[in-house]
Amino acid sequence: MNHKLLTKAALAAALSLTTAYASATTTLRFSHFWPATSAIHKEVFQAWADDVEKASNGELKVQLFPSQTLTKADAAYQGAVNGISDIAATAQGYTAGRFPLTQVVELPGVSLSATQGGCITQSLYDKGMLADEYKDSHVLFMFSTGPGYIHTTDKEVKVPDDLKGLRIRRPSAVVGKILTELGAQPIGMPAPEIYSSMQRGLLDGVSLPWEGMKTFRLNELSNQHTQVPFYSLVFVATMNKKTYDRLPDNLKKVIDEHSGLAWSKKAGEVFDAEDKAGRAEAKGNIVEINDPLNDPSWGGPLSAAIKDYLGDLQAKNGQAVYDEALALRSQCAM
C-alpha cells in the first residue's frame, strides 16, 4: 500500500469535510407568541431573520415559530435557556419574579412610547444594571410596548373606583400590583389567551396598549376604553448561550451586528405604528387621562404602587435602576 497516497487522500478528505462544514447552513429556531399575521411577526422578527440570512450570505437561516407553536409564552425564556428553541422573544413579566429590575421600566411615568421604553430598557442593560438577570442566556435586544391602558367590555372607567370588583387581565405581576392598588381584581394570562376568556365572560376587561388590542383582535370585544397610561410591558429577544458560543466568529459577528439598540429602535417603531392603528380601529367610548400621576383620582394609587414596588427591591438596588430609567427618558425621547 502506498502510504503517501493514503496520506494525501486523507488530507483531501479532511479538507473537503472542513470546507463543507464551514459552508454548512445553521438554522436557528426562533420562538415567539405573536400571531403570524401580526406586524410584530412580519416587521420585527421576519425582518430580523431576513437581515441575518442576508448578512451571513445564507450561512444562517432563521426558522420562525409564531403563536406559541414551539414554546408557550410563559415558558419561552426558559425554553431558549434549555435549548428547546435557539432564540425566543417574550415578555419578562410572563416569568413572575425573575426579572424584577428590568420590570422597573414598566412602572407608571417611565415611558411614553414603545421606542422610548425599548431604548430605556436596552440602555439599562448596556450599562450593566440588568445583566445579572440574564446570565443564563445571550441577550440580542430589548424592546417594549407603548403605554398600556384599560379596556372593558361595557363598563366605563373614569376613576379608580369604577374598577372595583372588575376582573382585569394583567400582563405581569408588576401591572397586577398596580391594578390591585387601583381596586381591580387582576387575573394573569399571556396575551394569546385573552380573546377566548373575554368571549366566555371570564374577564371584564384587559390592560393592554392599543397595539395589543389590534394584534389580538380585542377591539372586537371591547366597547369601553380608558386611555390612562399606567404601565408599559417590556420584552427580550434572547439566544441560547451554547448556540451562540458554537457559532464561528464570522457568524457571531453577524448576530452581534443584529443586536442592541438599533434593533430595539426598529421594534419600537413598529409597536408605535401599531398603537396608532389600534386606536384608529377602536369602537365605542374612549376616556382620556393623559397625566395620571398628577391626576387627583389616579395619582395617589399609582404613586403608592411605585413606592411599594421599589420598596420590595431595596436589596436589589431597585431605586438606582428606577432613577437611571427616569434619567434616560430625555436621551431616549424619539
Side-chain angles (χ1 to χ4, degrees):
M1 182 180 293
N2 189 326
H3 292 288
K4 286 186 177 180
L5 288 175
L6 181 61
T7 302
K8 286 181 180 178
L11 285 170
L15 181 60
S16 175
L17 184 63
T18 301
T19 303
Y21 179 79
S23 62
T25 298
T26 297
T27 299
L28 303 174
R29 297 158 300 162
F30 190 145
S31 174
H32 70 80
F33 64 84
W34 285 267
T37 55
S38 69
I40 311 306
H41 171 83
K42 297 176 194 174
E43 298 176 31
V44 181
F45 305 131
Q46 188 64 61
W48 186 89
D50 292 344
D51 275 15
V52 164
E53 182 173 346
K54 182 179 179 181
S56 69
N57 295 314
E59 289 186 58
L60 285 175
K61 289 188 180 294
V62 182
Q63 184 180 8
L64 293 170
F65 292 86
S67 302
Q68 307 187 98
T69 50
L70 184 58
T71 51
K72 294 292 186 182
D74 56 3
Y77 184 86
Q78 193 60 39
V81 171
N82 293 342
I84 297 171
S85 63
D86 298 298
I87 300 169
T90 192
Q92 287 90 325
Y94 288 175
T95 312
R98 188 164 184 167
F99 306 99
L101 291 176
T102 304
Q103 290 186 260
V104 162
V105 182
E106 296 183 359
L107 294 173
V110 173
S111 170
L112 297 177
S113 70
T115 306
Q116 185 181 46
C119 172
I120 291 171
T121 313
Q122 184 68 49
S123 298
L124 289 171
Y125 178 79
D126 291 344
K127 289 172 177 286
M129 300 187 79
L130 310 176
D132 285 351
E133 295 186 340
Y134 303 91
K135 285 182 177 179
D136 50 2
S137 73
H138 180 85
V139 170
L140 301 177
F141 57 96
M142 308 278 192
F143 54 113
S144 163
T145 66
Y149 308 123
I150 294 166
H151 313 268
T152 66
T153 51
D154 52 24
K155 174 71 182 290
E156 185 179 50
V157 176
K158 290 185 174 180
V159 295
D161 280 351
D162 294 331
L163 284 166
K164 285 185 178 177
L166 294 189
R167 297 160 299 171
I168 305 294
R169 174 266 181 181
R170 54 89 172 165
S172 69
V174 175
V175 181
K177 285 186 176 184
I178 297 171
L179 285 169
T180 298
E181 193 70 41
L182 292 170
Q185 179 185 340
I187 297 176
M189 67 179 66
E193 300 172 19
I194 299 172
Y195 193 97
S196 61
S197 294
M198 284 188 74
Q199 267 191 324
R200 289 182 288 156
L202 300 177
L203 293 172
D204 299 305
V206 299
S207 52
L208 274 177
W210 287 116
E211 169 274 324
M213 296 298 289
K214 177 179 184 293
T215 297
F216 298 99
R217 299 171 40 228
L218 297 169
N219 277 328
E220 296 175 8
L221 304 177
S222 180
N223 295 299
Q224 296 287 343
H225 312 274
T226 304
Q227 190 168 288
V228 51
F230 75 103
Y231 80 96
S232 296
L233 188 64
V234 293
F235 305 105
V236 61
T238 198
M239 192 171 186
N240 177 272
K241 288 181 74 108
K242 289 181 180 178
T243 299
Y244 177 81
D245 291 341
R246 280 195 297 261
L247 294 175
D249 287 346
N250 67 311
L251 298 186
K252 284 180 181 174
K253 185 172 184 287
V254 170
I255 296 296
D256 294 346
E257 289 174 348
H258 289 77
S259 300
L261 198 57
W263 275 91
S264 174
K265 181 180 178 182
K266 286 176 187 288
E269 289 169 349
V270 174
F271 274 86
D272 285 337
E274 286 297 282
D275 273 341
K276 291 179 182 177
R279 192 188 193 286
E281 74 172 27
K283 62 181 182 179
N285 183 47
I286 299 176
V287 175
E288 293 191 27
I289 298 136
N290 294 318
D291 188 12
L293 284 174
N294 291 309
D295 184 271
S297 297
W298 295 85
L302 290 180
S303 296
I306 294 170
K307 184 178 179 180
D308 288 348
Y309 187 76
L310 295 178
D312 292 340
L313 290 180
Q314 282 184 341
K316 291 181 177 286
N317 210 23
Q319 185 66 49
V321 174
Y322 178 69
D323 291 343
E324 183 62 23
L326 296 182
L328 284 165
R329 288 182 300 179
S330 58
Q331 175 183 320
C332 288
M334 300 175 185

